[in-house]
Amino acid sequence: MNTRRHIRDQRGSVLIVAMLVTAMLALVLASYFNLSLTSSRQTRRTFDRNTAFHLAEAGVEEAVWSYNQTLAGSTDAWRLWDTDGMAAWRRFNDFTLTSGSTGSVKVYASNTAPTGSTRPSIIAESTVETNTIGAATQMIEVTLRRRSFFSNGLTARRTLAFKGTNTSFDSWDSDPDRNPATAPVDYSTAVRKDVNGIASASLDTTAVLVNQATVYGFVSTGGQSPKVGVNGLIGPFGTAPGTLDSTRVATDFVANFPVFPAPTDGTYVSPLGTTLGTLGQTTRWRTPNIKLSGKQTLTILGDVTLILTAPVGTSALDMAGTSSIIIPAGSNLTLYAEGDIKIAGQGLANGNTQPASFKLWGTNTTETGQSITLTGKGALRAVVYSPNGDVALNGNGDMMGAVVARDITLTGNATYHYDSALADLEDNAPYGPASWRLITSSAERRSLSAHFQGW
Amino acid sequence: MIASTLSVMVMAGVLSAFLFFGRTGLAAGHYQEMETELRHSLELFSEDVRMATDIRWGGAWQITLTVPDQTGTIRSVSYTFEPSRSGASTGALHRILEDGRREILVNNVASDFAFKRYKLEQPGVADNTAGNDLETKQLQLNLRTLRVTTGGPDSTQAAISARYILRNKRVSR
């Protein structure tokens, strides 16, 4: 009787134990499920944030495109944007994303018509929404500046060669305060620097041939190390001959070399007299070519733009004898030519301190080439941009400015001084980023979000 | 007797199942912890690299970035792998700010940790490894973190980051 009762008392205990075990198993499984779910959500969140990052970048690119289209003369660049006359804003939401996500980016451009050295900014706020975990956002602010083709002293598409035994390269800054109202600084050994560079975009072993020259600065090539002779050097001041300072050589240089067609405006004049332009005035002229010989001179007065219309393969400017082109202090000359240029004789008598007072734009759009020979007597101050031109710099004096060309050759005892103020010369250059920031602080995001309210 | 034997067998099964669940749960927890650490580290690393205006290479275990803050003030941020002082084969990845503040980003990192630096992509060039600071335009982080489980296999998590571009660094001088 007692035994039967004892067994009856224990009935149901198995069920309790089984329920306890099941509950513990359920608890463990729930923990696993929760862990997996959290991990999955974190992964998804990271994926969405990465996607949002790229959307924000795409938004910035759209605005940069519009800025550069405006520079290129397009009147449609901001057509699809909302604008208040100054700023512009637009929402892009035609992105196809996978896994049920939707993405959009709002872009705000601060100033659609910047003037002078004004630097417009672009702010992009992107959002990627996924039903299960909500929205991931990213915000990027990019400040733009006009690029310069002259951020290096000498830039070649193909070969940059020093052929003289005493040729050298260094730099200085003619406008250290970036204030045109203050007097420019002339080159001297007291202000010279060894922190700027020369470059070639060529992948060949002949990209930069320093040979026996002295390069106080940096060298960039498209892939191969520059060639330095036993008496040549690349490095800072004080570097011994025969030294190639490897910390000053980069082998990943790439650059665009856009070719600009010659302007089609300007008052036709032929032949030219002994002066061109008017002091204190901006004038634009066009003429087939210039040929100076004997003691002939051409004096530039005021701010003169001259377009030489001689075609490719013919002489656009030819100087011989003791002829010279004179640019008095305060005047400046911008020359466009697709024909060959030879400045010799007494050369270019530029009375200005800054090389930007004489700019030569080579407009040859073909690979036929354009021969540009600059021979200096005394100090030659010039800025040359000719992506299809072969530039020869000959002389025994100081040459100052910057050169961009297909091939560049320095011969004689030419000492080349790059004016680093030219790194801010914006002529014909597109917009590029001056600074790029991912906005991460919540306070700053809140502040910038004001641009995105209500649309 | 039969009931006792059956009970012991069932209990052994149940206990071993719980042991298995426990170990797996521990490993899963480790993976979760490592993944969280790595995700946070890569996010910080990518932000700093992308905004950096310059880099100073101290070797595969140490780099210093020059990063402007929101006011434009330049500050330096270092990332350093420091081996454990106890002689263990692991170490930790630290993020050290200019004022000396440091944050341990990832613990128990294997000593095959390495930063890698790259140039811009060049056409026809297979190896874009940078040779100096001047030509360094991209950075990558390779690390393996591990957690030791007593009485069980170690949990390891390997991470190879993207090549982040130093967007504010000049292409050439």
Side-chain angles (χ1 to χ4, degrees):
Chain A
M1 188 72 176
N2 284 341
T3 304
R4 193 176 290 176
R5 188 173 174 180
H6 179 67
I7 290 171
R8 202 169 43 239
D9 287 348
Q10 290 185 346
R11 275 182 186 168
S13 62
V14 172
L15 178 63
I16 292 169
V17 170
M19 284 177 69
L20 280 173
V21 169
T22 306
M24 289 178 76
L25 274 173
L27 196 65
V28 169
L29 288 176
S31 301
Y32 282 178
F33 180 73
N34 190 43
L35 202 64
S36 300
L37 196 63
T38 306
S39 184
S40 168
R41 282 180 174 162
Q42 280 186 348
T43 304
R44 181 76 210 192
R45 168 70 66 174
T46 302
F47 184 79
D48 285 352
R49 280 177 62 79
N50 280 335
T51 306
F53 174 81
H54 294 298
L55 289 188
E57 289 256 278
V60 170
E61 286 291 340
E62 289 281 352
V64 174
W65 184 86
S66 291
Y67 274 110
N68 284 326
Q69 286 297 301
T70 305
L71 281 183
S74 170
T75 53
D76 281 350
W78 300 97
R79 190 169 56 86
L80 297 174
W81 295 63
D82 293 314
T83 178
D84 62 3
M86 176 78 136
W89 55 92
R90 186 176 171 188
R91 179 189 174 108
F92 300 88
N93 50 14
D94 50 348
F95 300 101
T96 305
L97 303 178
T98 55
S99 307
S101 298
T102 56
S104 65
V105 56
K106 290 179 171 182
V107 187
Y108 175 86
S110 68
N111 182 354
T112 55
T115 54
S117 57
T118 305
R119 294 183 171 187
S121 67
I122 300 166
I123 305 164
E125 184 187 55
S126 62
T127 305
V128 171
E129 287 192 78
T130 304
N131 289 338
T132 49
I133 58 167
T137 63
Q138 293 277 20
M139 190 181 282
I140 292 173
E141 181 187 40
V142 176
T143 305
L144 300 181
R145 57 166 286 190
R146 293 285 294 276
R147 292 183 176 181
S148 169
F149 294 113
F150 307 105
S151 53
N152 284 295
L154 301 166
T155 308
R157 269 179 58 206
R158 295 195 312 205
T159 299
L160 166 56
F162 293 81
K163 291 189 174 172
T165 52
N166 289 309
T167 47
S168 68
F169 174 88
D170 62 8
S171 63
W172 98 106
D173 191 342
S174 70
D175 186 16
D177 60 3
R178 295 294 183 268
N179 180 0
T182 57
V185 176
D186 203 357
Y187 174 83
S188 70
T189 52
V191 296
R192 70 174 184 159
K193 295 179 180 176
D194 58 6
V195 295
N196 296 104
I198 59 177
S200 165
S202 171
L203 294 165
D204 296 336
T205 54
T206 55
V208 176
L209 304 173
V210 172
N211 297 323
Q212 309 308 325
T214 298
V215 176
Y216 289 130
F218 294 79
V219 177
S220 300
T221 73
Q224 301 292 331
S225 188
K227 305 293 181 203
V228 178
V230 290
N231 293 313
L233 69 88
I234 298 170
F237 295 138
T239 303
T243 304
L244 189 162
D245 182 342
S246 62
T247 65
R248 287 184 167 236
V249 174
T251 53
D252 62 346
F253 181 73
V254 288
N256 290 326
F257 295 89
V259 180
F260 305 107
T264 54
D265 63 342
T267 305
Y268 183 82
V269 55
S270 182
L272 293 177
T274 56
T275 63
L276 186 66
T278 307
L279 277 177
Q281 291 188 17
T282 298
T283 54
R284 294 175 73 84
W285 308 91
R286 54 196 303 115
T287 193
N289 54 44
I290 303 173
K291 189 172 177 65
L292 299 175
S293 60
K295 295 181 179 177
Q296 286 181 309
T297 61
L298 172 64
T299 301
I300 304 299
L301 299 174
D303 183 0
V304 172
T305 297
L306 176 60
I307 299 117
L308 302 176
T309 58
V312 174
T314 64
S315 173
L317 171 59
D318 187 6
M319 297 172 64
T322 56
S323 61
S324 66
I325 293 177
I326 301 165
I327 306 174
S331 294
N332 57 72
L333 173 62
T334 302
L335 200 64
Y336 288 90
E338 60 178 330
D340 296 338
I341 302 286
K342 181 184 170 191
I343 296 179
Q346 288 299 320
L348 184 72
N350 189 345
N352 298 283
T353 299
Q354 293 186 287
S357 50
F358 174 59
K359 289 175 280 197
L360 169 56
W361 296 91
T363 56
N364 179 359
T365 57
T366 69
E367 282 290 326
T368 313
Q370 178 182 25
S371 169
I372 299 174
T373 304
L374 302 177
T375 302
K377 294 280 187 183
L380 175 69
R381 299 165 198 266
V383 177
V384 179
Y385 181 86
S386 176
N388 287 319
D390 300 331
V391 174
L393 302 168
N394 308 317
N396 294 310
D398 292 316
M399 295 186 155
M400 303 174 211
V403 177
V404 177
R406 184 171 65 177
D407 291 318
I408 303 173
T409 308
L410 286 87
T411 57
N413 295 314
T415 55
Y416 201 88
H417 313 299
Y418 165 56
D419 177 8
S420 59
L422 294 170
D424 289 329
L425 185 69
E426 299 170 343
D427 297 18
N428 292 325
Y431 278 103
S435 73
W436 182 101
R437 288 198 315 122
L438 189 63
I439 309 299
T440 53
S441 85
S442 54
E444 201 180 1
R445 286 178 78 120
R446 269 198 307 276
S447 162
L448 292 174
S449 288
H451 295 301
F452 302 110
Q453 300 301 316
W455 56 280
Chain B
M1 182 69 179
I2 294 169
S4 298
T5 306
L6 284 174
S7 299
V8 167
M9 286 173 69
V10 169
M11 283 310 290
V14 168
L15 285 175
S16 65
F18 273 107
L19 189 64
F20 175 77
F21 280 138
R23 280 170 50 188
T24 309
L26 192 62
H30 284 160
Y31 281 119
Q32 170 81 358
E33 180 187 307
M34 288 188 290
E35 198 169 310
T36 304
E37 274 189 353
L38 284 173
R39 193 171 279 126
H40 171 66
S41 308
L42 290 178
E43 181 120 354
L44 270 179
F45 181 70
S46 68
E47 283 172 12
D48 285 336
V49 172
R50 282 170 171 150
M51 288 200 278
T53 58
D54 211 348
I55 175 185
R56 200 165 61 249
W57 180 258
W61 283 4
Q62 201 261 330
I63 58 166
T64 301
L65 301 169
T66 304
V67 183
D69 66 11
Q70 64 194 69
T71 64
T73 308
I74 300 293
R75 59 192 173 85
S76 73
V77 179
S78 295
Y79 284 84
T80 307
F81 169 74
E82 292 184 3
S84 167
R85 288 178 189 159
S86 66
S89 60
T90 58
L93 174 62
H94 297 250
R95 179 176 183 262
I96 306 166
L97 300 181
E98 195 170 68
D99 58 11
R101 279 181 295 150
R102 70 167 57 207
E103 175 185 2
I104 295 178
L105 297 179
V106 191
N107 279 300
N108 298 316
V109 178
S111 58
D112 54 5
F113 172 93
F115 290 110
K116 290 182 181 290
R117 55 180 176 173
Y118 296 96
K119 302 185 283 189
L120 293 177
E121 297 286 332
Q122 296 291 91
V125 178
D127 182 10
N128 286 299
T129 302
N132 57 35
D133 293 347
L134 180 64
E135 63 185 12
T136 301
K137 307 298 182 321
Q138 303 176 78
L139 281 173
Q140 184 182 305
L141 177 64
N142 291 7
L143 68 80
R144 198 162 51 85
T145 179
L146 51 95
R147 297 288 187 276
V148 177
T149 307
T150 308
D154 295 345
S155 308
T156 62
Q157 183 93 313
I160 299 176
S161 77
R163 291 185 189 180
Y164 299 114
I165 296 175
L166 287 81
R167 286 155 195 271
N168 287 317
K169 187 171 186 282
R170 280 192 58 175
V171 173
S172 71
R173 282 181 184 269

